[in-house]
Amino acid sequence: MAYPLSSSFNIPITRHPFFHHTKSPSRIFCFTKNQLGQCDDDTSLGITQRIMKTVIPILIASTIQLSSMVPYVSSPAANAILYSPDTKVPRTGEVALRRAIPASPNMKAIQIAVDEKDSILASIPAELKEKASLVHSTLIDGKGGLQVLLQSIKEQDADKVSVNLQSTLDIVAELETLQAPGLSFLLPGQYMQYPRLSGRGTVEFVIEKGDGSTFSPVGGEERKTATIQVVLDGYSAPLTTGNFAKLVMDGAYNGIKLNCSNQAILSETGLDKTNGYSVPLEIMPTGQFEPLYKTTLSVQDGELPVLPLSVYGAVAMAHNEASEEYSSPYQFFFYLYDKRNAGLGGISFEEGQFSVFGYTTIGRDILPEIKTGDIIRSAKLIEGQDRLVLPKES
């Protein structure tokens, strides 16, 4: 028997009857191609200087506010990056994961420059300084670093700016992750018997069609299987990610079938292959130092989680069959967020009700192709084994 997502979130998922979708005007400020043509060399230089003085610190804060200085032309990459800086809910898993890194305020405020290297590396553990130094060098002068970003700004190439900005932010996030190698809070003593992930991990799923059909071809070649990668965020959900990572390592999801609705892809139960832990509902509220346990958030009162459900490809645990204060021991789902089925502000009606523990970062385009009956051929923890802490055998 499948564990329910919640009393109001079952397959198929239906639109809440008391809310209606309303369109809100975009808050992204844009420049047209005609406006781009009016810029001269002096303007280009001014943009570069302003980027050096204002945008670089903002990059470290992972708050993108290029709307007043960077030209924008619609493209898939641009749509993923140049979102409104005032939005409360990130629109991609990458942005949500960057926001969730518990880096120190100094790391998030410091300007990236060659003469600030020592200040940046000072906040990174000694055993990681060598790696951090290489990452910093990549950020300053490497492929996808700041110099490439600034050059694309000087060239006034909006598409390149978006792509290079994404690359630069990824490198910044890598530095921040090195600065925050473990949990920034102490777990309550009563939860120390659970597995826990003290940082980030990555799970790779290989999905195959249950009916023998194929996924959309890539490079002209049909695919019998497709790969999806999910980044687990132990910073905000250490117990939930710990249980999930252990299940993956135990092979609990190998051969599991998937059930689909228009809003979620739900795994079947663990088929008694292994025993998972019924972890308490675990949600880190924005602005709080540690997660709440067995407690949902009230979005209507302004409470939002650090790891929001309202992102396409968010990954969360279903609720325990016996109590919604606990997550299911095995059953998880990919959330297919659609703003048309959300409430005011584009926030899911189920926001703050589930333990979200990661996001699909590779293979989001595969999610719409998954159908009921498709199978997880394999699930592997390809990164983060060293951060997985298992309880001692009694």
Side-chain angles (χ1 to χ4, degrees), residues 312-354:
Y312 191 88
V315 186
M317 297 303 292
H319 284 156
N320 188 287
E321 188 178 40
S323 171
E324 292 190 358
E325 291 185 352
Y326 289 83
S327 292
S328 165
Y330 319 98
Q331 199 171 29
F332 74 97
F333 62 94
F334 296 93
Y335 188 64
L336 308 179
Y337 169 78
D338 187 339
K339 190 174 182 179
R340 294 171 297 180
N341 297 322
L344 296 176
I347 297 176
S348 167
F349 296 117
E350 300 289 338
E351 189 64 81
Q353 306 299 305
F354 293 91

Side-chain angles (χ1 to χ4, degrees), residues 181-231:
L183 301 184
S184 60
F185 56 89
L186 295 176
L187 283 170
Q190 67 267 34
Y191 298 141
M192 297 301 288
Q193 78 271 20
Y194 295 110
R196 58 189 182 276
L197 188 67
S198 58
R200 292 275 167 86
T202 303
V203 172
E204 183 174 272
F205 296 94
V206 176
I207 311 295
E208 66 179 4
K209 287 291 183 181
D211 59 3
S213 61
T214 59
F215 291 95
S216 295
V218 174
E221 295 185 2
E222 293 186 346
R223 295 178 295 168
K224 293 184 178 180
T225 63
T227 299
I228 294 173
Q229 285 189 7
V230 171
V231 173

Side-chain angles (χ1 to χ4, degrees), residues 242-259:
N243 178 55
F244 189 79
K246 182 180 184 299
L247 287 168
V248 168
M249 293 185 68
D250 289 344
Y253 296 114
N254 297 341
I256 293 295
K257 291 184 178 180
L258 299 170
N259 294 310

